[in-house]
Amino acid sequence: MKSLRTIALKEAQSRVSPEVKAPSARISEFFGINVFDKKKMKDGLSKEVYEKLISSIDQGELINHEDANHIAAAMKQWAMSKGATHYTHWFQPLTGTTAEKHDAFFEPSGDGAIEKFAGSALVQQEPDASSFPNGGIRNTFEARGYTAWDPSSPAFIMESAAGKTLCIPTVFVSYTGEALDYKAPLLKALNAMDKAAVDVCQYFDKSITKVNASLGIEQEYFLVDMALYNARPDLVLTGRTLFGEMAAKGQQLEDHYFGSIPERVFAFMVDFENEALKLGIPLKTRHNEVAPMQFECAPIYEEINLAIDHNQLLMDLMEKVARRHNFKVLLHEKPYAGINGSGKHNNWSLITDTGKNLLAPGKTPKNNLMFLAFFVNTIKAVHEHADLLRASIASVSNDHRLGANEAPPAIISIFLGQQLNEVLDEIEHSRISKKIKEDNALWLGIPKIPQILLDNTDRNRTSPFAFTGNKFELRAVGSSSNSSAPMTVLNAIVADQLVKFKVDVDKLIKKGEKKDIALLTVIKRYIKESKDIRFEGNGYSQEWADEAEKRGLSNIKTTPVALDAYVSEKSTELFTKTNIFSKRELHARHEILLDSYFLKLQIEARVIGEITNTMIIPATIAYQNSLIENVKGLKEIGLGKETTDIPVGIISKISEHLNVVKTSLDAMLAARKVSNNIAESRDKAISYDEQVKSHFDTIRYHADKLEQIIDDSVWPLPKFRELLFIK
Ligand code: ADP
Ligand code: MG
């Protein structure tokens, strides 16, 4: 019988890309055609209802029943005119993926049937799915959870060959009002950010009434041929290879990055980009990444809530479109040991309704004081809550990246670039002198900030949080994760910090200090207090790990421990004060994350067991048997030790590795039994990390050695050179 690997290799080498056609030659002509955007709302609604909807989007005002009916009717009409037959509330449960439950517009009525979509169905639904992770908040016997419409993210139509569905972005909350998803807390954090930032803006510009946090997400991913993927149970079940010797050629020649995009991959990219563009996702950039078969795409930045909905949708689309091209998209943070993993850089800034980016240095000193206020408060917030930020990016898959000498380290630090470092140092050591006070010429006290920082900010790729000219870039986010978690945290901590800033400044003003002096005095103090988080050097080096330790910065390498920060006293205070999470919600989330951690390791452990026992060991023994036959045959025809030594040597080498594989596997199995019996989630997660996962590398090391010895034609798993270089 032919092995799955042989069949897969044959298939992979005879691929023909499907024809890819855009709806029109110009992107501007089809961008957003599947989105119920403001223009379509305006066309479909009365002026009055439209304006109410817009103010609900901008100010979060509630929409009454009657207006909801109007909006639902307009939405239905538009969706049906585009061929949609069903609608769904689209939400982001804590599983990390998106969820939907479709209902038909159609309803039997009297002697016929009609298409219906009431306002109430738009605004609220009760998905009967009781098995989303809820961390104990929702007992299954009272499994009610509600999805509620988020008007700030527009409805869209999801197309597939079999039909079209109107998707309505929603939050997902329990019967008792606790968040069961990523979106609900994010919206609260963005709200807190808006309010706090607008308040601080008032010191500088009274015309600012709204601040939107913006996000541009760079998405890295790998592609692999579908047939080869299906022949790797580890990829199918865990998203990463649990075995496999690195190919002789990896990324050492650096010939893939920004190289020309392989034809078959290019067809896939154009295809999913077209689908994304129809859905209003403003994709702009595509290129090869560092590792073979690794790529990246990035849209133009948008308001955070929308940017995240779009990223979630994009990941989904990529997967769907990839099937048409016989590719599988690997969004896992570390699909292949030995080459780079994938991240999701989160570019973050704050933009006012007057169009100003608060993180862009301005033309005038006055603008620069405003810039400094937001800039320094962000640094201070990250310094205060570095552990929480670390927790927000923790996952079993991201553990492979953080600190693994290729991605940002697990130590949170901030890179500013030389010029801004000098500016901050100058302020720290300057004296806000009396003379300046009297002259009212304080602006001279602010160091000159070069306006064009973009080219000056040295690209320090080893920093987890870097300032890049007019935005901060959080680089430690994992490629498969929902950016809501880190963005909820980042906006919450900065919002909280801005509130404190205002209190501190107002205190000085009340004491009779001039406003600008008060601002600069507090900024100066914050610069001093948050200095330790700033680091310009190589984040991968041991010197930095040592230095960071001296500075008292945490270096938390594994998820179960990193997650502690979610339920610390400090975080609880922050989240409850800002109304983003209740204590109960925090504990529920903590529990869910810990469970997900050990469950994923449990799956990996099982797959390792299965592959070893049913693929690697049989292939090894079969090859060993053929060598034994060989030895016997050699002896039979009268050849002596000098000839049989070679196969005998291989036979015993095989046995050595096989022995370690088998004993480690047995030890892992025993450890799993112990870990499985631990009731408490944190202890269980730590036990899985320390007692079970610790065997993975040993088993793999020796299995990979066997891969290098065994006859290639009987090795059952597609090899790295095949996974990474057949395109
Ligand atoms: P890189 O050079 O880091 O690879 P890319 O051009 O691939 O950068 O992506 C940068 C991302 O940052 C894009 O999504 C871009 O839209 C986004 N971006 C640019 N300016 C801002 C800003 N002010 N706020 C948030 N994101 C921004
Ligand atoms: Mg980047």
Side-chain angles (χ1 to χ4, degrees), residues 666-719:
D666 291 344
M668 181 180 83
L669 195 69
R672 251 167 64 202
K673 285 196 178 133
V674 175
S675 302
N676 286 341
N677 281 328
I678 299 173
E680 214 264 319
S681 294
R682 185 177 183 274
D683 293 344
K684 193 168 187 166
I686 289 179
S687 169
Y688 253 94
D689 176 37
E690 290 174 358
Q691 311 298 329
V692 180
K693 191 179 161 212
S694 49
H695 293 287
F696 289 9
D697 284 347
T698 319
I699 298 172
R700 180 185 187 142
Y701 176 83
H702 292 277
D704 290 356
K705 286 284 173 221
L706 289 171
E707 182 188 323
Q708 289 168 278
I709 301 173
I710 306 303
D711 177 1
D712 182 69
S713 68
V714 299
W715 189 255
L717 297 163
K719 297 185 172 180

Side-chain angles (χ1 to χ4, degrees), residues 186 377 389 398 442 464 556 631 685:
L186 176 73
N377 270 293
L389 201 57
N398 213 15
L442 168 74
I556 306 166
V631 174

Side-chain angles (χ1 to χ4, degrees), residues 82-138:
K82 310 255 336 160
T85 53
H86 288 64
Y87 65 92
T88 177
H89 276 198
W90 181 81
F91 58 103
Q92 298 165 31
L94 296 167
T95 48
T97 51
T98 55
E100 31 191 277
K101 174 193 157 230
H102 297 197
D103 283 299
F105 288 124
F106 143 88
E107 261 178 40
S109 133
D111 45 5
I114 53 162
E115 261 75 26
K116 261 186 158 170
F117 185 47
S120 52
L122 164 66
V123 173
Q124 191 173 304
Q125 291 267 291
E126 194 180 335
D128 49 9
S130 54
S131 47
F132 291 109
N134 60 72
I137 279 180
R138 207 170 41 137

Side-chain angles (χ1 to χ4, degrees), residues 389-450:
L389 201 57
R390 167 71 184 90
S392 75
I393 48 169
S395 70
V396 71
S397 45
N398 213 15
D399 276 359
H400 294 284
R401 269 177 87 232
L402 299 180
N405 272 9
E406 57 160 54
I411 310 162
I412 298 286
S413 68
I414 307 184
F415 171 85
L416 298 181
Q418 188 198 342
Q419 285 176 309
L420 282 168
N421 254 307
E422 282 169 7
V423 168
L424 295 198
D425 287 345
E426 202 176 323
I427 297 175
E428 186 190 339
H429 299 112
S430 73
R431 290 186 36 184
I432 304 170
S433 71
K434 241 188 136 115
K435 187 171 176 306
I436 288 170
K437 240 192 220 178
E438 284 153 8
D439 283 357
N440 196 20
L442 168 74
W443 303 120
L444 299 174
I446 302 175
K448 206 165 146 28
I449 301 173

